[in-house]
Amino acid sequence: NERGHEALEAALLRLEGDVREAEVRARETVDRAIRESLESTNQRMQADIAEMKDRAASTSEDLQRATELMKRHDLDTIWESIAQLAARLAELQCDMDGISSGFRNVAGR
């Protein structure tokens, strides 16, 4: 009977060790998945930021042209430039909204 008790204790110790090992593996797997997700999100966001910088530079050029045209007082051209700037600003706002929702999605995970 004592042998049976010792065997049960040994089996319980092995089982406890297996549970601890499974917990460690599960934590490592979750940590790795989170890290990979964050890295992927960061890469996408860096690409979005680079694209926005390009668009901002283009918008800056448009603004410079609009400023030069305003100096010449060509009203038709001025309104056309303002419309182009408004369209670009709307695109940038959509991009910013997309990035903001990306942050909310990552934070929600």
Side-chain angles (χ1 to χ4, degrees):
N1 203 9
E2 187 152 327
R3 278 187 178 168
H5 182 69
E6 289 174 3
L8 282 175
E9 283 183 9
L12 182 60
L13 287 174
R14 282 192 307 274
L15 184 58
E16 287 174 348
D18 290 347
V19 167
R20 280 191 299 272
E21 186 178 316
E23 286 175 342
V24 167
R25 282 195 311 259
R27 282 190 196 115
E28 289 171 350
T29 300
V30 168
D31 287 347
R32 184 174 39 254
I34 289 171
R35 235 182 351 268
E36 288 172 359
S37 176
L38 289 174
E39 287 171 4
S40 174
T41 300
N42 185 42
Q43 289 173 354
R44 285 191 310 267
M45 288 174 54
Q46 291 297 329
D48 289 344
I49 289 169
E51 182 180 343
M52 287 180 59
K53 283 181 180 180
D54 290 343
R55 287 186 179 190
S58 177
T59 301
S60 178
E61 291 169 5
D62 288 345
L63 180 59
Q64 181 63 34
R65 280 195 302 272
T67 302
E68 291 171 9
L69 293 172
M70 289 174 79
K71 290 178 184 176
R72 289 187 233 147
H73 303 287
D74 183 353
L75 289 179
D76 290 338
T77 308
I78 290 171
W79 284 113
E80 182 178 305
S81 295
I82 290 172
Q84 289 175 354
L85 285 172
R88 291 217 185 244
L89 289 173
E91 289 176 1
L92 287 172
Q93 183 62 50
C94 287
D95 291 342
M96 289 301 293
D97 291 346
I99 288 174
S100 294
S101 68
F103 279 125
R104 284 192 296 269
N105 290 340
V106 169
R109 286 185 185 174

